[in-house]
Each structure stands twice: as structure tokens, then as C-alpha cells.
Amino acid sequence: MAAPFKCDEKVTVEQLVGTPDPVYGTETQAWAPVLVRYWANVQDELPSRAESTKNGLDKSILRTRLRMQGAQAVTGDMRVILHSRGDRVMQIIAGPALLDDRVHTEFQLEGYLDG
């Protein structure tokens, strides 16, 4: 049995969808919501050597663990907006992984912070 955790933060999961442009017929892509303001457990990973400098720009990689109940529709090609953290947008880089209780799903998220 998995250890209990609180689903105490709201997140929105978005999927990239393509629609044809009505004038030119080319495909335009936009993010469409799949789950809106869904309760989840969000936990940041501890800091590590996740900073890098490329072309004189400092970037910090932020990694976060996301646990959700009943999120079978969420896949690895979607992105997540963390509302309790200033609407931070993060990409799903790993998951879904079904936890021991067979109800909750875990994802690994990654985002960037310019510094």
C-alpha cells in the first residue's frame, strides 16, 4: 500500500491540438485543456546541480513530482500548469506511473527558471 498524501493543489493539464487555418489551410497548434483546476499532490525535487549557462544565459531546471487520482487521460505529451506556484507551466517528462494503490498516477515534470 502506498503512503497517503494530500491532493491539496490545483493544476490544469493541457494537450497540444492542431486545427486547420480557415484562410490558408495550414495547421495551427494550440494548447487545449484536458483537466481544469484538478486537485493534485505537487512536490518539488530537492535542489541539485541543475543550473547551466548557455550563450551567457543562466537557466535553472526545476523538477517536480505530480500525483493525481483518476488521471488515466493524461499522457506524456501534455503539459501542466501549477496554479498555486504562480501559474508555472511545466512539461511532463516521465510517466504515467501507476502507484501501488492502483488509483493514483505519478508524473515527473520539468520547467525552466531564467536567472
Side-chain angles (χ1 to χ4, degrees), residues 30-82:
W31 290 98
V34 176
L35 299 172
V36 179
R37 298 214 174 255
Y38 197 82
W39 288 104
N41 176 263
V42 180
Q43 185 176 13
D44 290 333
E45 282 190 5
L46 295 174
S48 65
R49 294 181 178 213
E51 297 84 20
S52 66
T53 302
K54 201 172 214 183
N55 295 331
L57 297 173
D58 290 333
K59 284 214 179 263
S60 295
I61 298 172
L62 305 171
R63 289 207 172 96
T64 303
R65 180 172 56 202
L66 174 72
R67 290 180 175 174
M68 303 171 73
Q69 180 177 354
Q72 288 80 14
V74 181
T75 61
D77 59 347
M78 298 180 181
R79 73 179 187 180
V80 178
I81 299 172
L82 307 177

